Amino acid sequence: SVRDELGAYIAKPETFGPDVVVYHNDDFVAIHDMFPKSSLHLLLLPRDQTKTRIHPFDAFEDAEFLTKVKTETRTLRKLAAGELRRKYGKDSAQEQARQAALSADPPPDELPQGRNWEDDIVVGVHAVPSMNHLHVHVLSVDRYSERLKHRKHYNSFSTPFFVPIEDFPLAEDDVRRYPTEEGYLKRDFTCWRCGRGFGNRFAELKQHLEQEFKEWKKL
Ligand code: 5GP
Ligand code: ZN
């Protein structure tokens, strides 16, 4: 089934090029999502055979395993942030200020920090995954991609249907354990950045996401 296709990356990561597999080690494989829903969209695949076929909510009940996954997502978040810096660093006002300060003669005692791109990465899982192998999404916040084609694509990353990795372990009575899939995915659209509502007007949302993307890069 197409729902099993992430299994190939876990089984034989070495057979894929660097444009597909970002890195792999004994416990994890990091890949590029084939249908990215943001300008940068990676997936972290744990290789633990006892976990890879079970629901993330159940897999993350194992505290030791959860810690391992959280630690690895911190590594991948840093890597993704570096990628954003390479892609958009030149556009960013904060980075420009830092460069200007660096090249001033004499340079100021205190350099501006520069932008922390890690704040622009979100990490988490879907309450109802469509792919069978355990995977954690690591993506830039922009939700700007030509592959974002359906309303459920946007809402699956922009409502409680998306559960941030930091929120685990989930409390026993956490409502997200019992997702009203229909409810979350069919919600009215809300811009991730400015909070503006778009009802169910997807084309309008998409246009707005492009505007927000341009401004977000230049922040
Ligand atoms: P889910 O909705 O299950 O949390 O997300 C599964 C993700 O896997 C989606 O973002 C989808 O684009 C991605 N995906 C589906 N099939 C493939 C594939 O064959 N290769 C890769 N690299 N990603 C895939
Ligand atoms: Zn907005």
Side-chain angles (χ1 to χ4, degrees):
S1 145
V2 292
R3 291 179 188 273
D4 288 321
E5 283 177 1
L6 297 181
Y9 304 106
I10 306 172
K12 289 186 180 320
E14 64 282 354
T15 60
F16 297 89
D19 50 329
V20 179
V21 169
V22 181
Y23 70 81
H24 61 96
N25 54 42
D26 286 350
D27 299 323
F28 296 95
V29 181
I31 64 172
H32 282 280
D33 194 294
M34 196 183 271
F35 312 100
K37 308 307 186 299
S38 269
S39 69
L40 180 68
H41 189 173
L42 307 175
L43 299 173
L44 182 68
L45 311 172
R47 303 180 80 178
D48 184 335
Q49 286 300 319
T50 68
K51 297 291 190 294
T52 187
R53 306 288 303 199
I54 63 179
H55 190 284
F57 292 3
D58 298 324
F60 297 158
E61 292 289 308
D62 178 337
E64 200 181 316
F65 179 68
L66 176 60
T67 300
K68 255 180 135 175
V69 172
K70 282 185 170 177
T71 302
E72 195 74 16
T73 60
R74 278 194 282 277
T75 303
L76 193 51
R77 184 192 286 270
K78 281 203 184 74
L79 189 149
E83 189 60 30
L84 291 187
R85 185 185 303 281
R86 275 188 293 281
K87 279 160 86 101
Y88 308 131
K90 295 185 298 296
D91 302 341
S92 156
Q94 288 185 55
E95 309 277 355
Q96 281 172 9
R98 186 175 162 80
Q99 287 308 317
L102 268 170
S103 54
D105 188 19
D109 288 339
E110 290 229 11
L111 284 175
Q113 268 278 293
R115 182 163 172 178
N116 183 6
W117 292 95
E118 284 189 47
D119 294 342
D120 294 297
I121 306 279
V122 290
V123 178
V125 297
H126 283 148
V128 185
S130 61
M131 297 299 274
N132 286 335
H133 294 80
L134 182 60
H135 53 280
V136 183
H137 296 270
V138 176
L139 67 164
S140 51
V141 280
D142 52 89
R143 283 96 157 166
Y144 178 67
S145 168
E146 58 182 31
R147 293 293 193 171
L148 196 142
K149 289 180 177 168
H150 301 290
R151 47 197 63 236
K152 66 172 185 197
H153 288 161
Y154 183 77
N155 275 346
S156 73
F157 289 102
S158 312
T159 66
F161 191 81
F162 185 80
V163 185
I165 191 76
E166 305 88 49
D167 291 5
F168 289 94
L170 293 183
E172 212 158 309
D173 60 352
D174 192 304
V175 293
R176 291 169 297 181
R177 284 181 182 274
Y178 316 101
T180 49
E181 186 177 356
E182 294 292 287
Y184 289 143
L185 297 183
K186 290 193 172 162
R187 269 191 188 175
D188 282 356
F189 301 124
T190 304
C191 173
W192 65 271
R193 190 151 180 258
C194 71
R196 207 169 119 192
F198 287 86
N200 63 356
R201 302 182 305 281
F202 189 61
E204 219 179 292
L205 171 74
K206 286 281 291 179
Q207 274 186 353
H208 181 74
L209 288 176
E210 181 170 4
Q211 282 314 116
E212 290 288 28
F213 171 66
K214 288 177 179 159
E215 284 169 36
W216 164 76
K217 283 196 299 175
K218 282 190 280 184
L219 198 71

